[in-house]
Amino acid sequence: MKSIKGTLIQATQKVKDSRLAKFGIATGAMVASGSALASTPDVGATLAAAITAGQTNYTTVVVGLLALAAIGFGVGFIVSKLSR
């Protein structure tokens, strides 16, 4: 019975050690990425550029949808006139 208990305790310890190692790696990665993000000098300019790009993309999508609706309406109108 002692050998089964000992084996179980050793296996449990290995799992704990593995979890601690994974936690240490994850913590180290977060600290490294945090310091990399902290070194960004001008966040305002980056944010303004991202907002401008997003507005441009939104405008392009709206114009495209309106153009598609106009083309669909025009084709439908022509087909209905030709079928008479």
Side-chain angles (χ1 to χ4, degrees):
M1 193 63 151
K2 284 186 178 182
S3 65
I4 293 175
K5 259 187 175 176
T7 306
L8 182 60
I9 290 172
Q10 288 175 351
T12 304
Q13 187 60 37
K14 286 181 182 179
V15 169
K16 285 181 184 177
D17 291 342
S18 173
R19 287 183 185 167
L20 288 175
K22 288 178 186 177
F23 179 73
I25 291 171
T27 304
M30 287 190 321
V31 169
S33 66
S35 64
L37 290 175
S39 68
T40 305
D42 192 14
V43 176
T46 305
L47 188 59
I51 289 172
T52 303
Q55 288 173 342
T56 303
N57 289 340
Y58 183 78
T59 302
T60 303
V61 168
V62 169
V63 169
L65 287 174
L66 290 174
L68 186 62
I71 290 170
F73 178 76
V75 169
F77 183 75
I78 291 171
V79 168
S80 71
K81 290 295 179 181
L82 290 175
S83 66
R84 289 182 184 196

